[in-house]
Structures are given as structure tokens and as C-alpha cells.
Amino acid sequence: QVQLVQSGAEVKKPGASVKVSCKASGYTFTSYDINWVRQATGQGLEWMGWMNPNSGNTGYAQKFQGRVTMTRNTSISTAYMELSSLRSEDTAVYYCAIVVVPAAMISGMDVWGQGTTVTVSS
Amino acid sequence: QSALTQPASVSGSPGQSITISCTGTSSDVGGYNYVSWYQQHPGKAPKLMIYEVSNRPSGVPDRFSGSKSGNTASLTISGLQAEDEADYYCSSYTSSSPYVFGTGTKVTVL
């Protein structure tokens, strides 16, 4: 079945960078755009951006422009989200998600990774 | 892009119906039929419950329904069950971003 499996928890110091991976299986990796969404503890969901795994084209939320980079390695069906200049407010669970059944990429994300906890602490 | 506005909490007894509102603007909810709803249990990833305002993915009970009027979208849960207790988030396409989420609503089954 269609599945997204993310890398394990990370602990980083302020100012460092973190790179989270999202390995896809059960479908052709280049078929669906990959979104990244984060959720701080006890807070709501926040959309960070998307990447087209076929072309590598990306679109980032304005809030993260200049700090986030989304890439992929098609040979291993894996997408990456790197966030730099980390601060305590970036402590959150980071999810990758795709739109499979709905018709359009903007219709609603129906397959999610399990989440990766990133803790930023000195 | 500001988050869409949802009530912080909604509660109901088993078997009752509840409705969660999601208020935006003409640049998001009111301007496009790309409203989606997610259910999230503690410690779990969100689950898509409604897409494109009123469509249910396969496997989602028909107790869940979605609608929209003007700049406000709504999720109705009919015949409330204990397992429906969770956080719910709306989301919409916007003129400046593919997705913006709502502030989230905690549903409590009394």
C-alpha cells in the first residue's frame, strides 16, 4: 500500500540545521507532489511547502522562505526537508504528506508519514 | 497568510450531532472549493476526513459531512461516537498558498 516512512527524532542546538527524510513506497515516487507540514507541541498544523519529485520544483510558505530547502533522491524514492538557523520555536513534529485519491494537489492530503520530532534546545 | 478561524472546542453526547465551523475570507474559503478537514488523535498523524468541501475519502463513515456557505465551511458529525473525540482541523487553498490550516477544534464526547 501507499506509505511514507520518515526518519527518526532529532535533537539540535539553536543555529544548527536539521534534515528530515521521507521514504515513499507502494507507488511511483514521481507521481505525487510531497508536502511538508509541522506541528509544535500543543499547537495547530502549519503548512511549510511542497516539492514536485519529478522536476524538483518547489514552493515554500512565505514564513519559511530562505530557511527551508526541499529536495529528493528519486533513485531511493526519498524526499528531504532541511530547515536551517534553527531556534526553539522550531521544536515540533514534522510530517510529509501527499495527495493520492483527490483529483488535485490542493484538494487535501490523504497519505501522511508518521511524523518526525525535532527538538531545538541548547 | 493568517490561519482560518475555528472554535477552540465543541462537545456533544453520544448520538448527537455537532458542527464545527471554519471561517476565512474571499481569498481562501470563500473563493475556492478546496476546503478539506482532518481528524487527529493524540500522538497520531492527521487523517483526511473531507476534501473539496464535501467529498469523503473511502473508509470515512458517512456520519461525517462537509459544506460551505460564503466564507465559512462546516464539518458536521452526526450520531457522535466515542471514537470521534479528537482534534479537527480545516484547511483551504488560498490565493497565495496551496494550503492554510485552521486553528483547530477539540471535540469532546460527553
Side-chain angles (χ1 to χ4, degrees), chain A residues 16-22 34-38 48-52 56-73 78-86 90 94-96:
Chain A
S17 297
V18 67
K19 192 170 186 177
V20 178
S21 69
C22 172
I34 293 181
N35 294 275
W36 290 88
V37 175
R38 78 176 187 179
M48 299 180 68
W50 64 270
M51 182 194 65
N52 181 303
N57 289 343
T58 56
Y60 303 139
Q62 190 170 7
K63 174 177 180 177
F64 300 101
Q65 292 268 6
R67 271 210 313 145
V68 70
T69 305
M70 296 176 187
T71 58
R72 86 288 192 213
N73 183 333
T78 300
Y80 303 92
M81 186 284 300
E82 183 170 20
L83 189 62
S84 63
S85 302
L86 290 170
D90 294 318
Y94 290 77
Y95 295 99
C96 57

Side-chain angles (χ1 to χ4, degrees), chain B residues 47-70:
Chain B
K47 175 186 177 182
L48 182 67
M49 304 302 282
I50 296 287
Y51 67 95
E52 293 173 5
V53 177
S54 59
N55 294 305
R56 265 189 321 275
S58 174
V60 173
D62 59 7
R63 303 183 289 104
F64 292 85
S65 62
S67 63
K68 190 185 83 167
S69 178

Side-chain angles (χ1 to χ4, degrees), chain A residues 21-43:
Chain A
S21 69
C22 172
K23 183 171 177 60
S25 62
Y27 72 98
T28 302
F29 177 65
T30 52
S31 295
Y32 307 115
D33 293 343
I34 293 181
N35 294 275
W36 290 88
V37 175
R38 78 176 187 179
Q39 184 173 36
T41 304
Q43 303 299 309

Side-chain angles (χ1 to χ4, degrees), chain B residues 10-95:
Chain B
V10 173
S11 61
S13 299
Q16 286 187 328
S17 292
I18 62 169
T19 297
I20 303 168
S21 61
C22 170
T23 301
T25 69
S26 59
S27 295
D28 38 64
V29 174
Y32 310 93
N33 288 323
Y34 288 110
V35 176
S36 50
W37 289 89
Y38 301 85
Q39 176 192 65
Q40 187 179 36
H41 287 109
K44 301 294 187 181
K47 175 186 177 182
L48 182 67
M49 304 302 282
I50 296 287
Y51 67 95
E52 293 173 5
V53 177
S54 59
N55 294 305
R56 265 189 321 275
S58 174
V60 173
D62 59 7
R63 303 183 289 104
F64 292 85
S65 62
S67 63
K68 190 185 83 167
S69 178
N71 296 338
T72 298
S74 298
L75 174 71
T76 297
I77 309 175
S78 305
L80 196 63
Q81 298 184 5
E83 59 261 35
D84 299 333
E85 186 162 294
D87 294 326
Y88 291 82
Y89 295 91
C90 64
S91 179
S92 176
Y93 175 77
T94 87
S95 56

